[in-house]
Amino acid sequence: MEVRIESSWKIKLSNEFKQDYFNELASFVKSEYQNKTIYPPAKEIFIAFDACPFDDVKVVILGQDPYHGQGQANGLCFSVHPGVPMPPSLVNIFKERKADLGKSMPPNGDLTFWAKQGVLLLNATLTVAAKSPGSHQKKGWEEFTDAVIQKLSDEKENLVFILWGAYAQKKGAVIDRSKHFIIESPHPSPFAAHRGFFGSKPFSRCNEFLVSQNKKIIDW
């Protein structure tokens, strides 16, 4: 089937798009968009890939589901459109950024500026029904995003994988740790952030590793 996604990813993932599971997933997602309110908007499903071509990826942050509230999800994990109030997890991410790097709270929660620098902001599930968290889990998205992580692990070297929370850490089990740098901590949600997310310094640790590999740092 024809998938509208950035050209380098289209080549890298071409085999996935031919699989039965992906065709079944695509049929399910198409039907959902026709019959329900689904987030993010259809044109933004693959925006994490469009904003960060395969060869540009330096850092991967793994999320779980898109936000399920009106107007929140924009195709990048943890990110929201400008003008949308920041969800608590994102507020905590920026609190840790301030503690780690001294940067003040940004004017909005749109993380596109991270993606444009080589940060793949990948949710495990790329769509969700409005007000129904987890509604598109176990429909095929997880298999697809597992393949994305595997492809990155296999074909690239010295990436930084930032795994916040048990779900991301389990999903990251396929990463070859002999080739890549892993940063793990509890999730930034209000329920877990005080158990070790705060004080984990993921941003400075990431940049220190990039410097060690003669790569340009991320302007977080």
Side-chain angles (χ1 to χ4, degrees), residues 4 29 32-33 36-48 50 66-76 79-81 84 126-130 136 141:
R4 294 180 182 177
V29 170
E32 288 282 282
Y33 273 96
K36 299 178 184 177
T37 299
I38 305 298
Y39 300 126
K43 65 182 180 181
E44 296 177 350
I45 292 174
F46 294 112
I47 209 161
D50 298 338
Y67 296 122
H68 55 87
Q70 183 176 358
Q72 288 183 305
N74 68 357
L76 307 174
S79 177
V80 292
H81 285 295
V84 175
L126 301 189
T127 54
V128 68
H136 285 191
W141 278 132

Side-chain angles (χ1 to χ4, degrees), residues 86-113:
M86 294 186 202
S89 292
L90 184 56
V91 170
N92 285 342
I93 287 169
F94 285 128
K95 284 181 179 178
E96 176 59 20
R97 186 184 74 156
K98 183 175 183 180
D100 188 9
L101 302 176
K103 288 180 173 282
S104 58
M105 193 68 72
N108 62 66
D110 186 356
L111 301 181
T112 301
F113 72 108

Side-chain angles (χ1 to χ4, degrees), residues 62-64 162-173 175 184:
L62 294 183
Q64 190 165 356
I162 299 177
L163 309 178
W164 288 328
Y167 183 91
Q169 289 156 21
K170 184 177 180 181
K171 193 170 180 68
I175 300 164
E184 295 178 307

Side-chain angles (χ1 to χ4, degrees), residues 2-54:
E2 183 69 19
V3 177
R4 294 180 182 177
I5 192 171
E6 191 274 332
S7 58
S8 64
W9 284 107
K10 190 166 190 173
I11 293 168
K12 293 294 183 182
L13 300 172
S14 60
N15 190 56
E16 296 304 309
F17 300 140
K18 300 172 186 174
Q19 301 297 318
D20 289 343
Y21 87 85
F22 192 87
N23 286 313
E24 291 171 9
L25 169 64
S27 295
F28 166 77
V29 170
K30 184 176 181 180
S31 174
E32 288 282 282
Y33 273 96
Q34 289 172 344
N35 295 293
K36 299 178 184 177
T37 299
I38 305 298
Y39 300 126
K43 65 182 180 181
E44 296 177 350
I45 292 174
F46 294 112
I47 209 161
F49 302 91
D50 298 338
C52 189
F54 185 87

